[in-house]
């Protein structure tokens, strides 16, 4: 069974990549309502915002906005 993580409305600041494990679904409250935003760590941004934990790429992001620090990416349907 797929595990679901719900992120309520808000902006979540990250300075290192998020590790999302296989068979996981991350659901936001809506585009531009839930935002995961990269902030600099030691003066620079990470090369990746999201990495797959355990080498498994079977995960889903939906109804949220990813902001790399340069420009936002809305994830309305699903991003795999």
């Amino acid at each position: 069974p797929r595990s679901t993580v719900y992120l309520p409305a808000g902006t979540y600041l990250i300075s290192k990549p998020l590790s999302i494990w296989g068979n996981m679904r991350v659901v936001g409250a809506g585009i531009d309502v839930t935002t995961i935003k990269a902030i600099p760590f030691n003066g620079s941004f990470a090369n990746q915002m999201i990495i797959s934990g355990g080498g498994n790429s079977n995960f889903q992001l939906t109804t949220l906005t990813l902001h790399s620090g340069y420009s936002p990416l809305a994830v309305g349907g699903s991003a795999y």
Side-chain angles (χ1 to χ4, degrees):
R2 181 170 280 218
S3 298
T4 299
V5 175
Y6 175 72
L7 297 176
T11 299
Y12 300 86
L13 304 177
I14 60 170
S15 60
K16 295 183 179 179
L18 289 178
S19 182
I20 300 179
W21 291 84
N23 234 11
M24 181 177 281
R25 183 172 188 240
V26 180
V27 179
I31 295 172
D32 293 330
V33 177
T34 300
T35 300
I36 299 173
K37 183 176 182 177
I39 59 172
F41 178 73
N42 288 338
S44 63
F45 290 101
N47 290 336
Q48 298 174 309
M49 281 186 69
I50 309 282
I51 59 174
S52 60
N56 187 337
S57 60
N58 182 25
F59 61 85
Q60 180 182 26
L61 302 171
T62 186
T63 58
L64 54 86
T65 299
L66 297 175
H67 195 297
S68 67
Y70 299 104
S71 61
L73 168 68
V75 182
S78 299
Y80 294 92

